[in-house]
Amino acid sequence: FEVTNTGNVTLDDVTVTDPLPGLSALTFGEWPGDDSVLAPGQSVTATATYTVTQADVDSGAVINTATAEGTAPDGTSAEATDPETIPLDVSPAIELTKAGELGGDAVAGSIITYTFTIENTGTVTLDEVSVTDPLPGLSAVVYDGWPGDEGVLAPGETVTATATYAVTQADVDAGSVENTATVSGTPPTGDPVDGTDTEVVPIDSDPSIEVVKSASGDVAAAGDVITYTFEATNTGNVTLDGVTIDDPLPGLSELAYEWPGAEGVLAPGESVTATATYTVTQADVDAGSVENTATVSGAPPTGDPVDGTDTEIVPIDSDPSIEVVKSASGEVSAAGDVVTYEFEATNTGNVTLDGVTIDDPLNGLS
């Protein structure tokens, strides 16, 4: 503060006052004569300090007016004022950090908990601070506790918030949940400021499929019919497309499917059933069983197809048997007459017989 007597008489009791709250006491430099006395044309300086407040920064400047006074010899008062404006740099900014954690298994219905950390990284107080996240199905954002008034953050202050999200099958099939949240706040002057953060929560893909093959029907001989039932189940966590069941058994009929939804598609936990028939051959009976393996395969959203197999053995009990019928012809009345024998051997069992022979121990038989 520089005070100058600009009049033509000496002033006494010269003082400077400044009503700025928080201003330190004024310290005068060396008076040109007696303390508090200024002759015409004389000057004195004084200094004081002031610590800027957040309110000052929010207003963008420190504005205050000082007043100098002095008393003339006739008792009249001389007075002068001078305002001073110190502009302050106003730099509003806000920052958001978003983190997500998947709880439970990587399946539809599992819950992701999101944590939002908001920080006022600028120089002014922000009002109406809020987080928005357009993820469909996200719960309401719950703030954990504001450091001051709700929705208000001073520079350097932070607040956290949480929200939850139930994973969908589409998310699991995609392999992740990706979304961007936005935080905004309004400074004392000027347009609102905002910040964004994108979080990708990975969901591990674990495709798998299995098939169970079963058989029904009484099987005892060639020509009997076996009915096969195939049940394929998606035992993984992602949707499978192009699901097919293959059984290389020669002579098996075409499989007839019953799909739970779209043809060839199985969501996790879904099953499809199929049936086919097979007519037993003599080779099967001779072998004692019909054995074959079915394979199911399906394609996940990404990666190589997966498959599963199941082998079914249908036993056929072996029941070998054979019989012979012997008959005779010819006129027989005396020694020397000839009897002609005929032997008819029949396989009366269910399996092929090899090395078949007929033996008759009659002496003299040809």
Side-chain angles (χ1 to χ4, degrees), residues 195-210:
T196 62
D197 192 28
T198 298
E199 175 71 1
V200 179
V201 179
I203 303 175
D204 292 336
S205 176
D206 185 22
S208 63
I209 194 169
E210 67 177 25

Side-chain angles (χ1 to χ4, degrees), residues 258-266 270:
E258 292 183 9
W259 295 98
E263 182 176 348
V265 178
L266 287 181
E270 285 187 339

Side-chain angles (χ1 to χ4, degrees), residues 100 139 147 204 215 252 261 291 308 362:
S139 72
D204 292 336
L252 186 71
E291 179 177 349
L362 179 64

Side-chain angles (χ1 to χ4, degrees), residues 84-315:
E84 174 70 9
T85 299
I86 299 178
L88 301 176
D89 180 30
V90 175
S91 179
I94 195 167
E95 184 177 287
L96 172 66
T97 302
K98 177 180 179 182
E101 182 176 357
L102 175 64
D105 297 328
V107 296
S110 295
I111 300 298
I112 297 175
T113 299
Y114 288 104
T115 301
F116 308 87
T117 302
I118 308 155
E119 182 179 3
N120 182 342
T121 55
T123 61
V124 294
T125 301
L126 297 176
D127 200 358
E128 298 176 348
V129 174
S130 63
V131 174
T132 58
D133 193 316
L135 180 64
L138 186 71
S139 72
V141 177
V142 178
Y143 296 89
D144 293 338
W146 294 92
D149 292 337
E150 183 176 348
V152 178
L153 285 181
E157 287 186 337
T158 62
V159 66
T160 59
T162 56
T164 57
Y165 173 73
V167 173
T168 68
Q169 188 57 53
D171 298 325
V172 181
D173 292 344
S176 65
V177 178
E178 178 177 350
N179 67 306
T180 300
T182 301
V183 64
S184 63
T186 303
T189 59
D191 296 329
V193 291
D194 58 41
T196 62
D197 192 28
T198 298
E199 175 71 1
V200 179
V201 179
I203 303 175
D204 292 336
S205 176
D206 185 22
S208 63
I209 194 169
E210 67 177 25
V211 62
V212 176
K213 178 180 179 182
S214 58
S216 63
D218 294 328
V219 181
D224 290 341
V225 174
I226 299 173
T227 298
Y228 287 104
T229 299
F230 308 83
E231 183 177 22
T233 302
N234 182 343
T235 53
N237 68 342
V238 293
T239 301
L240 298 177
D241 199 0
V243 175
T244 58
I245 300 172
D246 179 62
D247 193 316
L249 179 65
L252 186 71
S253 71
E254 183 177 352
L255 274 70
Y257 291 89
E258 292 183 9
W259 295 98
E263 182 176 348
V265 178
L266 287 181
E270 285 187 339
S271 298
V272 61
T273 57
T275 55
T277 58
Y278 173 73
T279 301
V280 174
T281 67
Q282 186 57 54
D284 298 324
V285 180
D286 292 345
S289 65
V290 178
E291 179 177 349
N292 65 308
T293 299
T295 300
V296 64
S297 63
T302 58
D304 297 328
V306 291
D307 57 42
T309 61
D310 191 30
T311 299
E312 177 71 6
I313 300 176
V314 178

